[in-house]
Amino acid sequence: MMAGFSNAAVLWPVLVPIAASALCMMLWRAPRWQRAVHLAALALMLAASLLLLQTIGRHGVVALTFGGWGPPFGISFVADRLSAAMVAVTAALALAVGVYGLASTHRRQVRNGVYPLFLGMLAAVNGAFLTGDIFNLYVWFEIMLITALGLLVIDKSRAQLDGAMKYAILNLLSTLVFLLAIAILYGAAGTLNMADLARVVPDIGDSTALTVASALFLVGFGIKAGYFPMFFWLPASYHTMSIATLALFAGLLTKVGVYACFRVFTLMFAGGEALREAIAFMAAGTMVFGVFGAAVQWDVRRILSFHIISQIGYILLGLALGTAAAFAGAIFYIIHHIIVKANLFLIAGAMHRVSGTYDLRRCGGLMRSHPLLALLFAVPALSLAGIPPLSGFWAKFLVIDASFKADAAWLAAVGLFVGLLTIFSMSKIWIEAFWKRQPVERARSRAVPLPMVLGIGALALITVWIGIRPEMLMRYSDAAAASLVEPRSYIATTLDEASITAPAGGAP
Amino acid sequence: MNLIYAAGFSAIMAIGLYLLLSRHIIRMIYGVMLISASVNLVIFLAGRIGPNPPPVMMLGETMLADGSANPLPQALVLTAIVIGFSLVSFVVALALKTYRRLGTLDSRALNDAEALGSPFEPPRPGKARSDEERDS
């Protein structure tokens, strides 16, 4: 295959973690080597994703089709600005979590294969972001599911088995619904390549099959992403995981569902025009019920799990509005949210390390004993609530501004109200864990290990940096949204590989 | 003809959904398997089945003969079957482990995950540390 260097950039973010995962499995009996390979792979993955980002900056869209078949028949990998950004954030997050894991991963977890599973899941996540073939997307979803299940039960504790069962059944159902949608779409359009589908589907016109398929896509991805009437598996299982894994899940897995939703609906179903009202109600429900669910919980991890859902609602808001500004806001929101949410879970792990519990009623006094941890908690917590000048303020501002401009004031009102309740939850953690006096005296105070501080600090720095200099990311998400609204260059580049060598002009 | 197929597939799917609504984990797994089978059949049907010649190319030909069967759904269904099989095996193993560990597969009795940080019962200070918290 005469693929140029720039096209191959699409492949590395998937190939590196898969190869490293295989290597880790070969080193099954050498935990130290496994750890070294895992860290090296995460660093390489970050380099690969930055290379991809740079390539995208030059060419706009890059595509690569495998196996010597022409584009609509062979499986394609396509990267546009949205997927490149997702891959880059994934790599940055994975490296931070990997460094943090040096202090939180137990020997028993390593013996049970946490490293190969971790890398395998990253490969699946990147594969889902980069694939240009809808059946291939299904395959990546399944790889993600099986590795996620392995990570979920890594300690084999009672709570994990219980949580994993709920996770497994509902996520299996979601992938089956997704597969059913693919089958119906294939029956109607006769192709599986997403760019080809984007070309073919608008010509089919009004068709029951397409309406059914789009509704099934919404349900299938909705279960994955944690949309309103289908999110129950998430807070029932997430909080049982080991904390580094949990941070990665919280940051990435739901966002893969959201990404797939954006990709499929913008490419094939004209921004989900037919389902717009339903999506708007789902977005409002997701925001409100997530935040109410969090209000009554006492376990830090459960509070934060419910908050994942309410924040997903803001992102879904972008799809519900369907304007370019709303998409740009949603993309900004996704990137901000992945970093902040994962960081909050990492901090919850550090709080557990120093206080011995996740239950807010039993911990306290951390402000006095660990002031640095308190500062590091304040950054993502205030960012999540949308306090300027942190990244969450700009993300919420963009989304809510877009909903006012699209004459959806009620959605903006829901968003603002939920932002207020988010502050309630964050201040609940702050008051209980940091301000309150310690309810039980501890014999000796434990320090937060250095790798944990490094991981948390790196993510907090990104949050602050986005908050202070949001223009760059705003410009980037504007460009990414423009290519979602007008996917001409995505389609042209995928279907006609010859055009890759020339810089993609045409679309902005 | 398609209508008959569709009725059959939806019957299988309905049985699967009914089983999925059960409280017993094993029945739920059967439900997932049945739904998976029915989805695979839908893929098959989406490729247009009928009395077509098999999609075989003679030596030297570069295109399928007109009207021959669509070879793609087989590949898709095969992939889906393999993936479905591996996931169902994993879930069955998980169910076995759950049964050995917790002594039941009734989903009403499985609430170890819910109990963590539950708002309904205040924590007892003297309580033995739960299984989940032991690991750190």
Side-chain angles (χ1 to χ4, degrees):
Chain A
M1 186 125 202
M2 290 299 293
F5 181 68
S6 61
N7 312 3
V10 179
L11 194 55
W12 293 116
V14 182
L15 209 56
V16 168
I18 283 195
S21 175
L23 195 58
C24 277
M25 272 188 258
M26 282 192 263
L27 296 168
W28 190 263
R29 300 202 176 282
R32 274 206 203 138
W33 282 100
Q34 273 193 44
R35 192 164 61 187
V37 167
H38 143 96
L39 277 182
L42 294 180
L44 264 180
M45 208 174 92
L46 185 61
S49 64
L50 291 179
L51 177 72
L52 178 63
L53 210 54
Q54 195 232 353
T55 316
I56 294 298
R58 243 174 322 122
H59 296 290
V61 182
V62 193
L64 182 64
T65 305
F66 303 112
W69 296 88
F73 304 110
I75 289 172
S76 306
F77 265 30
V78 191
D80 66 346
R81 286 197 175 78
L82 174 59
S83 18
M86 299 300 282
V87 168
V89 176
T90 303
L93 176 64
L95 187 60
V97 171
V99 170
Y100 180 97
L102 291 181
S104 75
T105 308
H106 306 293
R107 220 173 303 146
R108 196 182 37 181
Q109 291 171 344
V110 178
R111 270 206 304 277
N112 289 345
V114 70
Y115 290 139
L117 287 170
F118 187 88
L119 290 165
M121 197 176 84
L122 286 173
V125 168
N126 279 344
F129 287 149
L130 290 174
T131 186
D133 183 285
I134 196 142
F135 192 79
N136 195 233
L137 182 64
Y138 160 76
V139 175
W140 290 120
F141 265 64
E142 294 286 30
I143 298 176
M144 210 163 69
L145 177 56
I146 194 99
T147 47
L149 280 169
L151 284 170
L152 188 49
V153 292
I154 200 91
D155 296 320
K156 301 183 219 148
S157 67
R158 292 169 65 98
Q160 281 188 350
L161 291 171
D162 174 23
M165 207 40 135
K166 286 159 187 159
Y167 187 94
I169 300 279
L170 281 169
N171 278 282
L172 271 174
L173 186 66
S174 115
T175 44
L176 286 175
V177 171
F178 175 29
L179 187 60
L180 185 60
I182 294 176
I184 293 171
L185 187 64
Y186 175 68
T191 176
L192 291 166
N193 185 300
M194 291 206 258
D196 204 24
L197 279 168
R199 208 168 45 85
V200 172
V201 166
D203 296 338
I204 298 175
D206 259 352
S207 130
T208 323
L210 286 184
T211 315
V212 171
S214 66
L216 286 172
F217 275 123
L218 187 63
V219 173
F221 295 145
I223 297 178
K224 276 271 169 218
Y227 293 161
F228 156 52
M230 304 165 286
F231 63 75
F232 302 101
W233 59 272
L234 193 151
S237 62
Y238 264 33
H239 62 290
T240 61
M241 277 180 255
S242 71
I243 199 75
T245 315
L246 173 52
L248 198 72
F249 273 54
L252 289 179
L253 289 201
T254 47
K255 259 51 100 209
V256 178
V258 173
Y259 166 84
C261 231
F262 272 74
R263 180 61 79 211
V264 165
F265 279 98
T266 55
L267 268 182
M268 293 161 217
F269 302 108
E273 200 69 65
L275 295 168
R276 186 141 293 158
E277 298 229 324
I279 296 178
F281 276 106
M282 282 164 75
T286 313
M287 286 192 270
V288 169
F289 286 93
V291 87
F292 278 143
V296 295
Q297 297 294 334
W298 285 100
D299 188 306
V300 187
R301 296 167 300 175
R302 292 206 90 182
I303 295 179
L304 295 175
S305 298
F306 273 106
H307 272 291
I308 299 174
I309 296 157
S310 91
Q311 304 290 314
I312 291 286
Y314 286 97
I315 302 170
L316 188 56
L317 195 59
L319 189 61
L321 299 172
T323 60
F327 283 136
I331 293 167
F332 192 104
Y333 210 108
I334 293 178
I335 291 166
H336 138 77
H337 177 65
I338 289 178
I339 299 288
V340 162
K341 180 53 78 181
N343 201 10
L344 279 170
F345 276 105
L346 293 182
I347 291 166
M351 283 161 58
H352 178 253
R353 175 60 69 97
V354 298
S355 69
T357 176
Y358 286 111
D359 196 316
L360 285 177
R361 288 164 294 196
R362 285 193 282 172
C363 66
L366 293 179
M367 171 94 148
R368 177 162 298 178
S369 59
H370 298 86
L372 178 64
L373 186 62
L375 179 70
L376 286 176
F377 173 76
V379 171
L382 293 177
S383 179
L384 189 75
I387 306 289
L390 295 160
S391 61
F393 168 71
W394 301 106
K396 281 209 170 65
F397 172 75
L398 288 175
V399 171
I400 288 171
D401 187 45
S403 40
F404 275 123
K405 281 190 184 135
D407 286 331
W410 71 277
L411 281 171
V414 172
L416 289 169
F417 174 66
V418 169
L420 204 64
L421 287 175
T422 309
I423 300 181
F424 165 73
S425 274
M426 290 302 121
S427 53
K428 175 172 167 182
I429 299 178
W430 179 259
I431 291 170
E432 292 286 337
F434 290 94
W435 267 356
K436 190 180 68 181
R437 287 167 63 94
Q438 217 165 350
V440 193
E441 278 304 316
R442 296 189 69 83
R444 59 191 169 88
S445 151
R446 277 197 282 186
V448 185
L450 183 67
M452 284 192 172
V453 177
L454 283 181
I456 296 170
L459 293 180
L461 270 183
I462 298 178
T463 310
V464 173
W465 185 63
I466 296 176
I468 297 173
R469 306 285 315 273
E471 315 89 7
M472 211 180 82
L473 188 53
M474 274 184 194
R475 233 177 301 130
Y476 187 90
S477 45
D478 275 341
S483 70
L484 278 186
V485 174
E486 185 51 71
R488 229 175 343 166
S489 84
Y490 184 95
I491 299 168
T493 314
T494 315
L495 293 184
D496 179 25
E497 274 190 282
S499 72
I500 302 165
T501 41
Chain B
M1 199 60 198
N2 272 353
L3 213 57
I4 300 174
Y5 284 133
F9 302 165
S10 32
I12 299 175
M13 192 170 288
I15 297 169
L17 276 175
Y18 174 74
L19 285 171
L20 201 61
L21 295 176
S22 152
R23 290 201 185 95
H24 198 272
I25 301 280
I26 296 295
R27 282 171 154 250
M28 286 188 205
I29 296 174
Y30 282 138
V32 168
M33 285 161 73
L34 278 177
I35 295 176
S36 158
S38 132
V39 170
N40 289 344
L41 289 170
V42 174
I43 301 180
F44 208 54
L45 188 62
R48 309 284 189 275
I49 41 185
N52 302 326
V56 180
M57 276 190 283
M58 290 302 142
L59 209 62
E61 285 178 23
T62 52
M63 273 183 80
L64 278 176
D66 231 17
S68 48
N70 184 353
L72 189 60
Q74 294 183 29
L76 301 183
V77 170
L78 193 62
T79 315
I81 288 175
V82 172
I83 293 177
F85 172 74
S86 62
L87 276 166
V88 166
S89 339
F90 183 93
V91 177
V92 169
L94 184 67
L96 182 65
K97 183 83 191 164
T98 309
Y99 183 71
R100 284 189 180 153
R101 193 74 202 272
L102 307 172
T104 176
L105 282 177
D106 187 334
S107 57
R108 278 171 301 182
L110 294 177
N111 55 6
D112 282 86
E114 291 298 312
L116 295 174
S118 157
F120 301 113
E121 58 176 312
R124 282 156 296 173
K127 184 179 122 200
R129 296 181 76 189
S130 73
D131 178 283
E132 191 276 332
E133 284 181 4
R134 201 181 50 214
D135 56 31
S136 34

